Amino acid sequence: MRILITNDDGIRAPGMEALVNVASKFGEVKIVAPDRERSACGHSMTMRDPLRATPYPWPGIEAIEVNGVPVDCVNVGLTVAWPDGCDLILSGINNGPNLGFDITYSGTVAGAMEGTINGIRSISLSMALFVSGAPIHYETGAAWLEENWEMLVTAPQGRLSFLNVNIPSIAYPELRGHRITQMGQRVYQDRVEARSDPWGRIYYWQGGVVVMEPNQPGTDVQAVDEGFVSITPVSLDWTNHELMKQLETEMRSREK
Ligand code: MN
Protein backbone atom coordinates (compact mmCIF):
# COMPACT_ATOMS: atom_id res chain seq x y z
CA MET A 1 0.00 0.00 0.00
CA ARG A 2 1.36 3.40 -1.07
CA ILE A 3 0.77 6.00 1.63
CA LEU A 4 1.27 9.78 1.59
CA ILE A 5 1.40 11.50 4.97
CA THR A 6 1.02 15.20 5.63
CA ASN A 7 -0.06 17.40 8.55
CA ASP A 8 -0.49 21.05 9.49
CA ASP A 9 1.74 21.07 12.57
CA GLY A 10 4.88 20.77 10.45
CA ILE A 11 7.17 17.90 9.54
CA ARG A 12 8.94 18.11 12.95
CA ALA A 13 5.74 17.68 14.99
CA PRO A 14 5.57 14.68 17.33
CA GLY A 15 2.17 13.72 15.90
CA MET A 16 3.82 13.22 12.50
CA GLU A 17 6.32 10.77 13.98
CA ALA A 18 3.55 8.83 15.75
CA LEU A 19 1.55 8.55 12.52
CA VAL A 20 4.55 7.60 10.37
CA ASN A 21 5.59 4.86 12.80
CA VAL A 22 2.18 3.19 12.61
CA ALA A 23 1.61 3.62 8.86
CA SER A 24 5.08 2.19 8.07
CA LYS A 25 3.93 -1.14 9.48
CA PHE A 26 1.24 -1.39 6.82
CA GLY A 27 2.73 0.06 3.67
CA GLU A 28 5.32 2.25 1.98
CA VAL A 29 5.16 5.69 3.50
CA LYS A 30 6.28 8.96 1.94
CA ILE A 31 6.07 12.18 3.92
CA VAL A 32 5.37 15.55 2.37
CA ALA A 33 4.62 18.11 5.04
CA PRO A 34 4.93 21.83 5.82
CA ASP A 35 8.33 23.10 6.96
CA ARG A 36 6.65 24.88 9.91
CA GLU A 37 3.37 24.90 11.78
CA ARG A 38 0.46 25.99 9.58
CA SER A 39 -2.49 25.19 11.87
CA ALA A 40 -5.84 26.84 11.10
CA CYS A 41 -4.89 27.53 7.48
CA GLY A 42 -8.04 25.75 6.32
CA HIS A 43 -8.27 24.56 2.74
CA SER A 44 -6.02 27.33 1.45
CA MET A 45 -3.36 26.87 -1.19
CA THR A 46 -0.27 28.80 -2.27
CA MET A 47 -0.60 30.36 -5.70
CA ARG A 48 1.41 33.60 -5.66
CA ASP A 49 4.70 32.24 -4.33
CA PRO A 50 6.99 29.43 -5.47
CA LEU A 51 6.83 26.15 -3.57
CA ARG A 52 10.18 24.67 -2.56
CA ALA A 53 10.37 20.93 -1.91
CA THR A 54 13.39 20.12 0.25
CA PRO A 55 14.49 16.61 1.24
CA TYR A 56 14.15 16.12 4.99
CA PRO A 57 16.28 13.52 6.80
CA TRP A 58 14.03 10.69 8.01
CA PRO A 59 15.65 7.27 8.44
CA GLY A 60 14.37 4.79 5.85
CA ILE A 61 11.60 7.03 4.53
CA GLU A 62 11.39 9.55 1.71
CA ALA A 63 10.45 12.79 3.43
CA ILE A 64 10.05 16.23 1.89
CA GLU A 65 9.38 19.54 3.59
CA VAL A 66 7.50 22.17 1.67
CA ASN A 67 7.22 25.90 2.39
CA GLY A 68 3.47 25.65 2.04
CA VAL A 69 0.23 24.44 3.59
CA PRO A 70 -1.23 20.89 3.63
CA VAL A 71 -3.07 21.35 0.31
CA ASP A 72 0.25 22.32 -1.31
CA CYS A 73 1.91 19.31 0.31
CA VAL A 74 -0.67 16.85 -1.02
CA ASN A 75 -0.41 18.23 -4.53
CA VAL A 76 3.39 18.47 -4.48
CA GLY A 77 3.41 14.98 -2.96
CA LEU A 78 1.34 13.60 -5.83
CA THR A 79 3.74 15.25 -8.27
CA VAL A 80 7.09 14.49 -6.67
CA ALA A 81 6.75 11.62 -4.17
CA TRP A 82 3.96 9.54 -5.72
CA PRO A 83 3.73 10.71 -9.36
CA ASP A 84 1.73 7.58 -10.26
CA GLY A 85 -0.70 8.18 -7.40
CA CYS A 86 -1.05 6.45 -4.04
CA ASP A 87 -3.64 4.39 -2.19
CA LEU A 88 -4.05 6.37 1.01
CA ILE A 89 -3.50 9.88 2.31
CA LEU A 90 -3.21 10.44 6.05
CA SER A 91 -3.15 13.87 7.65
CA GLY A 92 -2.07 14.33 11.28
CA ILE A 93 -1.92 13.35 14.00
CA ASN A 94 -2.93 16.89 14.87
CA ASN A 95 -2.02 18.53 18.15
CA GLY A 96 -5.61 19.36 19.18
CA PRO A 97 -9.18 18.46 18.25
CA ASN A 98 -10.88 19.01 14.90
CA LEU A 99 -14.51 18.78 15.89
CA GLY A 100 -17.69 20.45 14.67
CA PHE A 101 -17.16 23.73 12.78
CA ASP A 102 -13.42 23.56 13.51
CA ILE A 103 -13.01 21.30 10.52
CA THR A 104 -13.59 24.29 8.26
CA TYR A 105 -10.54 26.05 9.76
CA SER A 106 -8.39 22.97 10.01
CA GLY A 107 -5.31 22.45 7.88
CA THR A 108 -5.22 18.83 9.03
CA VAL A 109 -8.70 18.23 7.64
CA ALA A 110 -7.81 20.20 4.49
CA GLY A 111 -5.07 17.64 3.79
CA ALA A 112 -7.72 14.90 3.74
CA MET A 113 -10.05 17.09 1.67
CA GLU A 114 -7.37 17.57 -0.97
CA GLY A 115 -6.68 13.84 -1.04
CA THR A 116 -10.40 13.24 -1.57
CA ILE A 117 -10.51 15.76 -4.42
CA ASN A 118 -7.66 13.79 -6.00
CA GLY A 119 -9.79 10.64 -5.77
CA ILE A 120 -7.67 9.02 -3.06
CA ARG A 121 -8.94 7.46 0.16
CA SER A 122 -8.10 10.00 2.87
CA ILE A 123 -8.24 10.19 6.66
CA SER A 124 -7.56 13.12 9.00
CA LEU A 125 -6.50 12.31 12.55
CA SER A 126 -6.43 14.59 15.59
CA MET A 127 -5.82 14.29 19.30
CA ALA A 128 -8.79 15.73 21.16
CA LEU A 129 -7.06 17.59 23.95
CA PHE A 130 -9.12 20.07 25.91
CA VAL A 131 -6.84 21.23 28.72
CA SER A 132 -3.99 23.36 27.44
CA GLY A 133 -0.65 22.24 28.80
CA ALA A 134 -1.88 18.71 29.51
CA PRO A 135 0.14 15.90 27.95
CA ILE A 136 -0.92 14.87 24.45
CA HIS A 137 -1.23 11.11 24.32
CA TYR A 138 -0.01 10.53 20.77
CA GLU A 139 0.79 6.98 21.87
CA THR A 140 -2.93 6.45 22.41
CA GLY A 141 -3.70 7.71 18.92
CA ALA A 142 -0.96 5.49 17.48
CA ALA A 143 -2.12 2.40 19.37
CA TRP A 144 -5.75 2.93 18.38
CA LEU A 145 -4.81 3.47 14.74
CA GLU A 146 -2.69 0.32 14.65
CA GLU A 147 -5.47 -1.71 16.23
CA ASN A 148 -8.11 -0.38 13.82
CA TRP A 149 -6.02 0.10 10.68
CA GLU A 150 -7.73 -2.66 8.71
CA MET A 151 -11.20 -1.33 9.50
CA LEU A 152 -10.25 2.21 8.48
CA VAL A 153 -8.52 1.43 5.20
CA THR A 154 -11.13 -1.05 3.98
CA ALA A 155 -14.22 0.88 5.14
CA PRO A 156 -16.78 1.88 2.52
CA GLN A 157 -15.49 5.08 0.97
CA GLY A 158 -18.65 6.84 -0.09
CA ARG A 159 -18.88 9.55 -2.71
CA LEU A 160 -16.49 12.52 -2.33
CA SER A 161 -15.98 11.56 1.29
CA PHE A 162 -13.22 11.12 3.83
CA LEU A 163 -13.03 10.13 7.48
CA ASN A 164 -12.30 12.71 10.16
CA VAL A 165 -10.98 10.91 13.24
CA ASN A 166 -10.59 12.47 16.70
CA ILE A 167 -8.93 10.48 19.46
CA PRO A 168 -9.44 11.54 23.09
CA SER A 169 -6.10 12.50 24.60
CA ILE A 170 -6.23 9.99 27.44
CA ALA A 171 -4.27 6.85 28.33
CA TYR A 172 -5.00 3.97 25.93
CA PRO A 173 -6.66 1.67 28.52
CA GLU A 174 -9.11 4.49 29.32
CA LEU A 175 -10.44 4.60 25.75
CA ARG A 176 -14.01 3.31 25.68
CA GLY A 177 -13.99 2.33 22.00
CA HIS A 178 -15.04 4.25 18.93
CA ARG A 179 -18.23 5.68 17.50
CA ILE A 180 -19.33 6.69 14.04
CA THR A 181 -20.52 10.25 14.55
CA GLN A 182 -21.99 13.25 12.84
CA MET A 183 -20.49 16.72 12.93
CA GLY A 184 -21.46 18.52 16.11
CA GLN A 185 -21.34 22.18 17.00
CA ARG A 186 -18.39 23.79 18.64
CA VAL A 187 -18.90 27.47 19.24
CA TYR A 188 -16.40 29.93 20.64
CA GLN A 189 -17.07 32.73 23.07
CA ASP A 190 -14.99 35.92 23.26
CA ARG A 191 -13.38 34.98 19.98
CA VAL A 192 -11.43 38.21 19.59
CA GLU A 193 -9.51 39.63 22.52
CA ALA A 194 -8.32 43.25 22.51
CA ARG A 195 -4.90 43.78 24.06
CA SER A 196 -2.43 46.62 24.10
CA ASP A 197 1.19 46.55 22.98
CA PRO A 198 4.10 48.17 24.93
CA TRP A 199 3.35 51.49 23.17
CA GLY A 200 -0.30 51.47 24.18
CA ARG A 201 -1.61 50.58 20.73
CA ILE A 202 -4.51 48.17 20.64
CA TYR A 203 -4.11 44.88 18.81
CA TYR A 204 -6.33 41.85 18.58
CA TRP A 205 -5.70 38.19 19.25
CA GLN A 206 -8.07 35.56 17.97
CA GLY A 207 -8.67 32.45 20.01
CA GLY A 208 -11.59 32.26 22.36
CA VAL A 209 -13.06 29.81 24.78
CA VAL A 210 -15.03 26.87 23.46
CA VAL A 211 -18.61 26.76 24.61
CA MET A 212 -19.61 23.14 24.43
CA GLU A 213 -23.27 22.55 23.81
CA PRO A 214 -23.73 19.92 26.51
CA ASN A 215 -26.27 17.70 24.83
CA GLN A 216 -25.30 16.68 21.31
CA PRO A 217 -26.03 12.98 21.07
CA GLY A 218 -24.45 11.17 18.15
CA THR A 219 -21.90 13.90 17.48
CA ASP A 220 -18.10 14.00 17.33
CA VAL A 221 -18.07 16.48 20.21
CA GLN A 222 -20.01 14.21 22.53
CA ALA A 223 -18.17 11.02 21.57
CA VAL A 224 -14.72 12.35 22.50
CA ASP A 225 -16.17 13.99 25.60
CA GLU A 226 -17.30 10.54 26.73
CA GLY A 227 -13.94 8.92 25.96
CA PHE A 228 -14.72 7.40 22.56
CA VAL A 229 -12.73 7.84 19.38
CA SER A 230 -14.94 9.78 16.97
CA ILE A 231 -15.06 8.78 13.29
CA THR A 232 -17.04 11.23 11.18
CA PRO A 233 -17.64 10.55 7.49
CA VAL A 234 -17.40 14.01 5.89
CA SER A 235 -18.64 14.79 2.39
CA LEU A 236 -17.17 17.41 0.10
CA ASP A 237 -20.59 17.80 -1.46
CA TRP A 238 -21.66 20.85 0.54
CA THR A 239 -25.08 20.97 -1.10
CA ASN A 240 -27.94 20.99 1.37
CA HIS A 241 -30.05 18.44 -0.50
CA GLU A 242 -33.03 18.79 1.81
CA LEU A 243 -33.10 22.57 1.43
CA MET A 244 -32.61 22.17 -2.31
CA LYS A 245 -35.87 20.20 -2.51
CA GLN A 246 -37.67 22.75 -0.33
CA LEU A 247 -36.45 25.62 -2.50
CA GLU A 248 -37.54 23.83 -5.67
CA THR A 249 -41.01 23.23 -4.22
CA GLU A 250 -41.22 26.80 -2.98
CA MET A 251 -40.22 28.27 -6.33
CA ARG A 252 -42.53 26.00 -8.28
CA SER A 253 -45.45 27.08 -6.09
CA ARG A 254 -44.72 30.71 -7.01
CA GLU A 255 -44.63 30.06 -10.73
CA LYS A 256 -47.54 31.43 -12.63
MN1 MN B 1 -2.46 21.71 13.79
Side-chain angles (χ1 to χ4, degrees), residues 63-246:
I64 297 167
E65 59 178 327
V66 175
N67 60 331
V69 289
V71 168
D72 302 326
C73 292
V74 168
N75 291 324
V76 168
L78 292 173
T79 307
V80 177
W82 292 117
D84 299 324
C86 65
D87 308 301
L88 178 67
I89 293 183
L90 300 174
S91 185
I93 304 173
N94 190 57
N95 160 18
N98 279 305
L99 301 163
F101 301 134
D102 284 355
I103 71 171
T104 64
Y105 306 114
S106 170
T108 306
V109 172
M113 287 168 71
E114 197 62 13
T116 307
I117 289 171
N118 279 283
I120 299 163
R121 179 189 287 275
S122 300
I123 304 170
S124 51
L125 299 124
S126 306
M127 294 307 303
L129 173 87
F130 298 106
V131 185
S132 70
I136 304 179
H137 290 272
Y138 290 113
E139 80 286 355
T140 299
W144 180 85
L145 179 61
E146 187 169 348
E147 186 106 336
N148 295 281
W149 180 273
E150 210 54 39
M151 167 193 75
L152 288 172
V153 303
T154 59
Q157 230 175 313
R159 187 180 151 267
L160 294 176
S161 297
F162 64 93
L163 300 180
N164 181 41
V165 175
N166 280 271
I167 302 129
S169 190
I170 53 182
Y172 190 63
E174 289 171 31
L175 270 191
R176 295 174 65 193
H178 46 263
R179 282 181 179 163
I180 307 300
T181 57
Q182 63 176 47
M183 213 178 114
Q185 293 185 19
R186 203 156 184 262
V187 181
Y188 290 83
Q189 216 168 40
D190 304 324
R191 186 101 231 206
V192 175
E193 199 178 308
R195 299 178 177 185
S196 89
D197 74 10
W199 297 272
R201 297 171 301 194
I202 299 294
Y203 67 97
Y204 300 92
W205 203 290
Q206 200 158 228
V209 182
V210 175
V211 197
M212 288 291 207
E213 294 270 334
N215 212 356
Q216 299 186 53
T219 63
D220 52 2
V221 174
Q222 183 137 342
V224 296
D225 194 44
E226 293 176 356
F228 292 88
V229 173
S230 162
I231 307 169
T232 310
V234 181
S235 169
L236 281 184
D237 180 357
W238 287 11
T239 314
N240 184 331
H241 291 276
E242 199 180 315
L243 182 57
M244 193 178 151
K245 281 193 205 110
Q246 284 174 23

Side-chain angles (χ1 to χ4, degrees), residues 8-9 37-40 94-95 108:
D8 77 353
D9 293 335
E37 193 191 335
R38 304 303 295 259
S39 291
N94 190 57
N95 160 18
T108 306

